[in-house]
């Protein structure tokens, strides 16, 4: 049994301690915002925060983070009000969207460590891979998030999200046409 805290909730995982954190989050905790891209530590789609630092969760065995604090994209904010989330939406960063949760978590950690990142800081600090090629918008969004975080710009109003109860609803069985 491995115990740690996920998004402020204490959790006990009855899984092999060698299980990657990515699979514990997705398969046992149903936190599917964290994505499985490569599984080898290259793409960054699986980035979460462990004790405040960005980690590729596909490379982290749960047994190695006993007692840690894990934050996933679902726990970064409850209303998409984090400056990175607000700026990503305002700058229309997302294209297919698959890599975005990992990008957001990496960008949030970068901005926390460096509140005024230059373009070079962002390009060297965010090594996530995006097959849609969102990189120019990514730089703009992180710099905009920095201005929001520093109080130099008002955060845009978050767009309405999906109600969690709606997202979890059971789809009724299809009935055959008469
Ligand atoms: Fe972890 Fe790609 S899935 S780095």
């Amino acid at each position: 049994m491995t115990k740690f805290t996920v998004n402020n909730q204490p959790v006990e995982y009855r899984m092999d301690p060698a299980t990657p954190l990515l699979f514990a989050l997705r398969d046992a905790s149903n936190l599917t915002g964290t994505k499985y891209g490569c599984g080898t530590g290259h793409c960054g789609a699986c980035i979460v925060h462990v004790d405040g630092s960005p980690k590729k969760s596909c490379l982290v065995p749960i047994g190695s983070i006993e007692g840690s604090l894990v934050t996933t994209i679902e726990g970064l904010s409850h209303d998409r009000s984090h400056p990175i989330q607000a700026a990503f939406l305002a700058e229309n960063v997302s294209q297919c969207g698959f890599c975005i949760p990992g990008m957001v978590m990496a960008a949030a950690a970068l901005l926390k460590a460096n509140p005024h990142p230059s373009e070079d800081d962002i390009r060297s600090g965010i090594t996530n891979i995006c097959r849609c090629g969102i990189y120019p918008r990514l730089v703009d969004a992180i710099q905009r998030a920095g201005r929001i975080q520093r109080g130099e710009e008002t955060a845009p109003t978050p767009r309405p999200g999906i109600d969690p109860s709606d997202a979890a609803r059971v789809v009724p069985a299809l009935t055959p046409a008469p």
Side-chain angles (χ1 to χ4, degrees):
M1 191 98 72
T2 305
K3 300 180 187 177
F4 50 92
T5 300
V6 179
N7 298 338
N8 296 321
Q9 298 264 11
V11 184
E12 296 181 0
Y13 287 98
R14 294 180 206 163
M15 305 173 91
D16 186 322
T19 303
L21 174 60
L22 171 62
F23 299 151
L25 294 172
R26 289 183 57 84
D27 299 341
S29 293
N30 200 28
L31 293 169
T32 54
T34 304
K35 300 303 185 208
Y36 179 12
C38 62
T40 55
H42 291 89
C43 73
C46 66
I47 288 180
V48 299
H49 296 174
V50 178
D51 294 330
S53 297
K55 299 288 180 194
K56 291 171 177 168
S57 60
C58 68
L59 299 181
V60 178
I62 57 172
S64 71
I65 57 165
E66 178 88 34
S68 293
L69 300 176
V70 174
T71 304
T72 70
I73 186 70
E74 290 88 349
L76 188 63
S77 73
H78 293 296
D79 55 2
R80 296 193 282 177
S81 60
H82 188 285
I84 289 289
Q85 291 171 304
F88 267 52
L89 285 167
E91 295 287 341
N92 288 316
V93 172
S94 181
Q95 193 156 315
C96 85
F98 188 86
C99 69
I100 295 299
M103 290 272 191
V104 167
M105 297 307 284
L110 174 76
L111 205 56
K112 190 175 172 193
N114 179 0
H116 204 147
S118 66
E119 181 173 341
D120 284 347
D121 293 336
I122 294 168
R123 292 195 184 277
S124 62
I126 305 293
T127 57
N128 303 45
I129 295 171
C130 168
R131 65 182 179 180
C132 303
I134 61 163
Y135 303 108
R137 298 198 298 276
L138 176 69
V139 172
D140 291 345
I142 295 175
Q143 291 190 316
R144 185 170 183 173
R147 294 194 297 275
I148 294 169
Q149 186 172 267
R150 296 192 302 273
E152 298 167 10
E153 182 176 325
T154 304
T157 306
R159 297 176 197 165
I162 298 172
D163 187 290
S165 61
D166 188 44
R169 74 187 185 283
V170 175
V171 178
L174 294 173
T175 49

